[in-house]
Amino acid sequence: MATAIPSSAAEQFFLERFGLGPALLEPIVGGAIARRADYADLYFEFRTAQSLSLEEGIVKTASTHIAQGVGVRVVAGDKTGYAYSDDVTVESVRLAARTAEAIAAETNAQRAVAVRETGPGHDLYALARAPIETALADKVDLLNRIDIAARRHDPRIKNVLASIGVEQKLVLIVTSGGLVVGDVQPLVRLSVTCIAEDGGSRQHGSYGGGGRVEFGFLLEGDRYLRFTRAAADQAVRNLQAVDAPAGTMTVVLGPGWPGILLHEAIGHGLEGDFNRKKVSAFSELLGKPVASPLCTVIDDGTLRNRRGSLNVDDEGTPTGRTVLIEKGILRGYLQDRLNARLMGMPLTGNGRRESFAHIPMPRMTNTFMLAGDSTADEIIRSVDRGLYAGYFGGGQVDITNGKFVFSANEAYLIEGGHITRPVKGATLIGNGPDVLKRIGMVGNDLQLDEGIGTCGKDGQSVPVGVGLPTIRVDGLTVGGTQTAA
Amino acid sequence: MSGQALEELAQDLLRAATRDGATAADVLVAEGDTLDVGVRLGEIEKIKQARQKHLGLRVFVHERSAISSSADFSRESLARLSRDTCDLARVIAPDPFSGLPDRDELATPVPDLDLYDPDVEAFTVERAIAMAREAEQAAFDSDRRISNSEGASCSADTGRLVYASTLGFVGTYQTSHVSLSVVPVAAADGAMQRDYWYSTQRKLSRLEHPAAIGRKAAARALRRLHARRVPTCDVPVIFDPETAASLLHHLAAAVSGHALYKRTSFLLGKLGQRIAPEWVTVVDDGTITGGLGSKPFDGEGVATRRTSVIEHGTLASYLFDTYSARKLHGRSTGNAARSIGEAPRVAPTNLVLQAGTTSPADIIRSVRRGLYVTELIGFGVNPVTGDYSRGAVGQWIENGECVHPVEEITIAGNLLAMYDNIEVIGNDLEQRHAVASPTVKVARMTVAGH
């Protein structure tokens, strides 16, 4: 009954290494469903991770990690029983299944109708050579080149902290609906932080990127050099930065990574679980205007080789492209199986989990706004006095009252239609259901981020992407210290 | 596995590493049981149960080091792990500061700090469900404006940790944690607010009563209803104990030996200088019996101790692990924190700002116009400069009284100035967490609003 999928490499792996195949596993999940549950699944994971880091001019540490395990989930109504084990054997799967089953059976949940299994899979990141297989010496060499390049780029760069993280995750998902799906998920990330010193003052700048790509991606077109210089420039520029303004003003967000605005301001608020429970500031706003008509926002897990992309989500559902906001109107939520079923809505392929030890939840993949008509230059020229923010650190949201923050690491004043002085980093704060209504201009320069984002929710971290064209927000609170501005 | 079996496993792995060419090595093995229950609107939402094990190996081949981890404890797998880790070390640059601690720093004998409670091990799913239900119900019962809930969760974890190194050190200890939290949602006039309260302890008997947790969470959510913004201004800011603890986390990050040798700390070069008023004292103490942040030895087997970080306003000590201590010509302070398979970091154990004598109510009364902060969001702290800018939630104070809740504002300043401008410290210290603070009043910060 296995659904046709592009990568059977993962299935082959689990069969060969652990002797676990569909014939053995399907009866186990079948057993759970036969009793009181609506749905059950097994999630097998074998993850190899490697990291190397450089500081003070030398690659000081390297590490490798091997994690393996199986998570067994039994769902009855809105109740989830979950058990996991790091022993990948049929016996431990049976034991975990019994535990999970007993948990779900303790409750007398109403039965719900099964959702239909969705469409065909994709093959978004088949690589000739996985980044984990690249020789360590090549990775060490790249880090050393980054150190030299950063120091050469500007003599004020006094220290460089750079790291390469690589992983290869093999998953096998077996569901009570008869689905058996495997996937091989490569991931690589390069992070560069530069410390600049000049006289008594010190600053830092960070940049990086990657994706579900070969290691060579970092070298293509000297991408690693671009990341290195961006980190170095940010550090050096911050040495000159004046205090950021405080108060509500017009803010222009540059393209790419500032798309974290979408992730925080609306993305989390549109996750199915919060809306089913009616604890989101966006609850019951489907079909209603939540943004300026200039805004169309998409979550797309099918973008080739992106950090936030997946062939199938962690419940075996093929990822998709979900229109969240269309010309300002709220169109959709992001769903996992449990919440889609309980809300009577379609699966969107957004059921994700950090590892076999975690219960899936609705999560974003790559979240971005479609391009508009204005040029970046027109947008900046339209602002007499405001802030231009080009690069950000992290963000956070309170999904219930909708208030979100995100912190600019690189920002400038806009004075008389021109970008002028760099200002120190500051936190920007706004209200999710309101902020997109204040978008006055949308640029024609959509960019996706470089592939560095990690999203945390309820203690689970997953890789994500964001994207944005240059936009103008007419009124966002900037948390600087300069009140007299 | 028994403690003895885990110790033998660790020692076998050290022998294998030595055979494979390691000149020194250490092993960390952790094994634990976890139970996590979620209840929402009185109904069970999730029950999660598992037993997990994990080990980490660090090898030194002369001055080169590498680290690895695995959950597969089979003989063949560990033999491979040892070989691969030694091979990995050989591609790494030599670092003369790397290595194990000095023998005389090790925690021999290993003290018993009473970190484990058999009642937590015996804790049942049924009991966890009952406590979570009681906490959530108490929140609903306390006010009819508590209209919804993100649920209550109750979790219990027990574990055993073994550390062994080629210095001949082998130590084992058991830990337990139990916690109960609830997140009610209050609604009025079409607007919703959520807040939380929790209790976490090593001993089941010391957990706050479920109904008390529920009522406190409800009160916290209710006091946020009808929140509004305030104009941009410079005013005194009072941090409640929960948010004041975050100022100690920033301090801990800045006194970490790693941040100092990397030159990424705003406290670089400040040792021995006055950085706060002379009545401010901050102590890190890993030896407190039953303490949430206590441990008998750190992630390198070094004995934990009591270290005054700020003593009468003066920056008295940084916190070190072995590596950062050697880099900066100091001695380890027993603050090596270690996740399995990670290089040691520096982290505080029980880090506490010593209580003052003023009640929180009197601190609020001392403010003519200002902000009482109860929640902070975002990551707007620059560790290199101390520049500080975070989203805040709280109560607006006029003439010594909280007059209305505030939200969608930021508070900004610089941590050096904030520590220096601490004006009053409350008498309300409770060690609810490993890092704990009483109420703190900072004389002046910038509030950005409308």
Side-chain angles (χ1 to χ4, degrees):
Chain A
M1 264 211 293
T3 307
I5 51 121
S7 172
S8 63
E11 281 179 66
Q12 200 62 34
F13 172 84
F14 283 99
L15 186 63
E16 280 169 14
R17 185 169 176 122
F18 302 106
L20 297 170
L24 215 52
L25 300 171
E26 279 177 346
I28 298 175
V29 280
I33 203 90
R35 301 204 174 77
R36 314 223 355 217
D38 293 320
Y39 176 79
D41 63 12
L42 306 175
Y43 177 89
F44 294 91
E45 177 185 351
F46 184 86
R47 176 177 176 268
T48 311
Q50 187 183 67
S51 80
L52 292 106
S53 46
L54 169 141
E55 52 182 58
E56 301 183 307
I58 58 171
V59 176
K60 281 185 187 173
T61 52
S63 64
T64 56
H65 309 285
I66 298 167
Q68 60 180 42
V70 54
V72 180
R73 176 170 63 148
V74 177
V75 179
D78 58 356
K79 292 156 185 60
T80 300
Y82 200 82
Y84 60 91
S85 167
D86 42 34
D87 276 327
V88 186
T89 60
V90 177
E91 295 69 48
S92 66
V93 173
R94 285 212 180 93
L95 188 68
R98 272 201 297 277
T99 310
E101 201 183 342
I103 289 163
E106 266 184 38
T107 69
N108 37 2
Q110 79 280 16
R111 303 291 289 269
V113 209
V115 282
R116 90 194 142 80
E117 303 288 353
T118 46
H122 341 278
D123 190 6
L124 303 170
Y125 34 73
L127 305 178
R129 192 184 191 195
I132 199 94
E133 288 159 12
T134 297
L136 277 165
D138 293 347
K139 294 164 183 165
V140 170
D141 180 54
L142 180 66
L143 290 173
N144 285 327
R145 274 150 68 186
I146 286 168
D147 185 74
I148 293 163
R151 291 172 197 265
R152 222 176 251 164
H153 184 63
D154 194 300
R156 288 169 289 182
I157 301 301
K158 300 297 185 203
N159 196 7
V160 182
L161 313 171
S163 66
I164 293 171
V166 175
E167 72 171 46
Q168 178 88 336
K169 194 161 158 175
L170 288 90
V171 302
L172 178 69
I173 301 154
V174 181
T175 77
S176 58
L179 193 71
V180 180
V181 189
D183 196 21
V184 178
Q185 301 166 350
L187 194 63
V188 58
R189 182 168 100 157
L190 169 66
S191 311
V192 185
T193 295
C194 292
I195 314 295
E197 295 192 34
D198 194 11
S201 65
R202 252 175 317 121
Q203 269 290 359
H204 70 142
S206 295
Y207 206 83
R212 302 195 184 278
V213 291
E214 294 185 23
F215 184 74
F217 173 84
L218 299 173
L219 306 167
E220 276 169 27
D222 286 340
R223 187 173 266 115
Y224 73 98
L225 276 181
R226 187 162 57 76
F227 291 175
T228 303
R229 289 175 186 148
D233 285 341
Q234 207 186 94
V236 168
R237 244 188 329 254
N238 281 340
L239 287 172
Q240 327 293 332
V242 297
D243 287 343
T248 302
M249 63 198 69
T250 300
V251 174
V252 175
L253 298 178
W257 182 234
I260 188 173
L261 165 86
L262 303 173
H263 181 100
E264 303 298 349
I266 63 145
H268 279 297
L270 299 182
E271 290 166 342
D273 46 355
F274 298 130
N275 287 283
R276 173 175 64 81
K277 297 172 184 175
K278 301 196 193 326
V279 295
S280 166
F282 288 93
S283 297
E284 313 198 65
L285 290 180
L286 268 189
K288 302 221 164 72
V290 296
S292 126
L294 298 171
C295 298
T296 295
V297 180
I298 309 282
D299 183 84
D300 191 344
T302 71
L303 302 175
R304 202 158 275 281
N305 300 113
R306 302 297 310 187
R307 180 174 166 84
S309 297
L310 288 171
N311 289 322
V312 288
D313 72 5
D314 298 322
E315 304 181 302
T317 309
T319 51
R321 177 183 167 95
T322 305
V323 177
L324 298 173
I325 294 171
E326 186 183 15
K327 294 183 173 142
I329 308 296
L330 182 59
R331 291 293 181 210
Y333 294 134
L334 299 173
Q335 298 289 7
D336 63 356
R337 274 176 194 277
L338 176 82
N339 290 288
R341 189 160 46 84
L342 294 170
M343 293 177 83
M345 287 184 157
L347 287 170
T348 58
N350 291 85
R352 303 184 63 186
R353 53 180 129 198
E354 180 179 310
S355 79
F356 69 90
H358 297 90
I359 299 175
M361 292 185 283
R363 304 293 295 265
M364 284 171 264
T365 58
N366 303 293
T367 314
F368 54 92
M369 181 184 288
L370 295 187
D373 298 327
S374 309
T375 65
D377 191 47
E378 282 165 357
I379 295 174
I380 293 161
R381 269 193 283 119
S382 75
V383 179
D384 183 47
R385 196 168 181 77
L387 189 83
Y388 179 90
Y391 203 68
F392 282 82
Q396 196 180 341
V397 62
D398 177 332
I399 49 107
T400 303
N401 67 19
K403 304 300 179 276
F404 69 93
V405 294
F406 57 139
S407 300
N409 287 351
E410 185 180 338
Y412 305 83
L413 292 179
I414 304 176
E415 293 167 304
H418 296 281
I419 287 178
T420 57
R421 289 167 291 170
V423 297
K424 287 180 183 173
T427 286
L428 275 53
I429 190 163
N431 180 30
D434 171 61
V435 68
L436 296 195
K437 292 180 185 162
R438 295 169 184 257
I439 291 179
M441 288 178 94
V442 175
N444 57 10
D445 55 347
L446 168 65
Q447 277 181 30
L448 296 173
D449 73 291
E450 305 276 8
I452 196 112
T454 297
C455 168
K457 173 178 172 183
D458 204 10
Q460 295 194 41
S461 296
V462 295
V464 293
V466 296
L468 196 71
T470 300
I471 60 169
R472 192 187 76 203
V473 185
D474 298 332
L476 198 56
T477 301
V478 177
T481 53
Q482 207 55 41
T483 47
Chain B
M1 290 168 91
S2 69
Q4 200 191 338
L6 291 176
E7 288 188 0
E8 280 166 15
L9 184 87
Q11 284 169 317
D12 284 348
L13 188 54
L14 289 175
R15 277 191 287 274
T18 308
R19 271 198 305 276
D20 291 328
T23 49
D26 65 4
V27 173
L28 210 54
V29 191
E31 189 182 57
D33 287 294
T34 177
L35 165 67
D36 186 9
V37 163
V39 162
R40 182 171 171 267
L41 307 181
E43 297 284 332
I44 298 164
E45 190 175 47
K46 66 162 187 197
I47 302 174
K48 187 169 151 181
Q49 244 175 332
R51 161 162 288 205
Q52 245 186 319
K53 62 185 193 318
H54 206 180
L55 67 77
L57 168 69
R58 176 171 63 155
V59 302
F60 299 91
V61 178
H62 301 291
E63 293 175 344
R64 303 166 194 265
S65 74
I67 299 172
S68 60
S69 74
S70 176
D72 184 350
F73 286 12
S74 68
R75 193 171 287 276
E76 315 77 73
S77 163
L78 295 182
R80 196 167 49 234
L81 189 79
S82 165
R83 263 196 322 273
D84 291 352
T85 314
C86 291
D87 286 346
L88 188 58
R90 293 188 178 98
V91 303
I92 296 310
D95 182 347
F97 298 97
S98 71
L100 295 173
D102 293 337
R103 215 172 240 116
D104 66 349
E105 296 175 300
L106 298 173
T108 27
V110 175
D112 179 2
L113 296 178
D114 196 19
L115 306 177
Y116 169 78
D117 177 10
D119 288 349
V120 177
E121 182 114 44
F123 196 60
T124 61
V125 171
E126 293 71 28
R127 181 106 189 265
I129 292 167
M131 285 168 56
R133 276 196 175 124
E134 189 180 354
E136 194 194 39
Q137 192 56 46
F140 276 112
D141 288 347
S142 60
D143 194 293
R144 61 187 170 75
R145 290 170 298 167
I146 301 295
S147 59
N148 198 348
S149 162
E150 275 203 45
S153 26
C154 187
S155 68
D157 300 281
T158 52
R160 192 188 299 275
L161 194 119
V162 172
Y163 174 83
S165 76
T166 50
L167 292 176
F169 181 90
V170 186
T172 305
Y173 63 95
Q174 277 184 282
T175 58
S176 58
H177 281 102
V178 55
S179 74
L180 178 60
S181 63
V182 58
V183 186
V185 175
D189 305 324
M192 289 188 289
Q193 294 288 351
R194 69 167 176 184
D195 213 313
Y196 68 93
W197 194 243
Y198 69 99
S199 173
T200 178
Q201 289 291 346
R202 290 196 180 274
K203 306 236 169 192
L204 187 57
S205 61
R206 295 185 58 183
L207 204 66
E208 228 176 293
H209 193 277
I213 294 170
R215 283 192 295 269
K216 182 90 183 261
R220 286 169 58 93
L222 288 163
R223 73 176 172 184
R224 292 174 64 162
L225 286 171
H226 307 292
R228 53 184 206 256
R229 309 179 70 202
V230 290
T232 300
C233 54
D234 285 345
V235 288
V237 173
I238 300 169
F239 294 85
D240 79 350
E242 293 288 306
T243 53
S246 70
L247 303 180
L248 296 181
H249 282 286
H250 302 318
L251 174 72
V255 298
S256 150
H258 284 255
L260 293 156
Y261 85 75
K262 290 174 190 169
R263 305 181 68 77
T264 56
S265 165
F266 65 92
L267 291 176
L268 187 67
K270 302 276 183 205
L271 193 66
Q273 293 183 22
R274 206 185 62 79
I275 61 163
E278 60 92 26
W279 35 269
V280 172
T281 291
V282 177
V283 174
D284 182 71
D285 188 349
T287 68
I288 297 168
T289 301
L292 282 163
S294 300
K295 35 193 171 182
F297 51 83
D298 76 355
E300 299 179 301
V302 172
T304 51
R305 68 183 70 184
R306 184 179 199 278
T307 306
S308 288
V309 175
I310 298 179
E311 195 160 2
H312 301 302
T314 297
L315 183 59
S317 181
Y318 293 137
L319 298 178
F320 295 121
D321 62 349
T322 299
Y323 181 78
S324 61
R326 288 192 184 139
K327 292 285 290 182
L328 296 167
H329 317 292
R331 295 272 281 173
S332 171
T333 53
N335 286 92
R338 194 106 173 247
S339 307
I340 303 288
E342 301 287 330
R345 294 169 293 118
V346 168
T349 56
N350 299 292
L351 185 71
V352 173
L353 169 61
Q354 290 191 356
T357 52
T358 315
S359 74
D362 282 342
I363 297 178
I364 290 169
R365 265 194 288 278
S366 75
V367 173
R368 196 182 62 79
R369 180 168 173 268
L371 180 67
Y372 177 61
V373 178
T374 59
E375 188 177 294
L376 290 164
I377 61 170
F379 307 92
V381 178
N382 183 331
V384 179
T385 60
D387 285 334
Y388 183 100
S389 166
R390 297 189 71 188
V393 167
Q395 302 286 323
W396 189 246
I397 304 170
E398 295 277 357
N399 300 317
E401 274 177 51
C402 293
V403 289
H404 66 79
V406 259
E407 65 179 9
E408 206 182 331
I409 58 163
T410 60
I411 55 171
N414 181 284
L415 285 165
L416 276 174
M418 288 160 66
Y419 295 148
D420 194 41
N421 289 328
I422 290 175
E423 204 173 89
V424 192
I425 294 174
N427 62 3
D428 52 344
L429 175 67
E430 266 187 87
Q431 190 91 44
R432 291 174 38 77
H433 223 279
V435 176
S437 174
T439 298
V440 167
K441 178 186 177 188
V442 173
R444 205 150 207 82
M445 290 185 72
T446 302
V447 171
H450 60 71

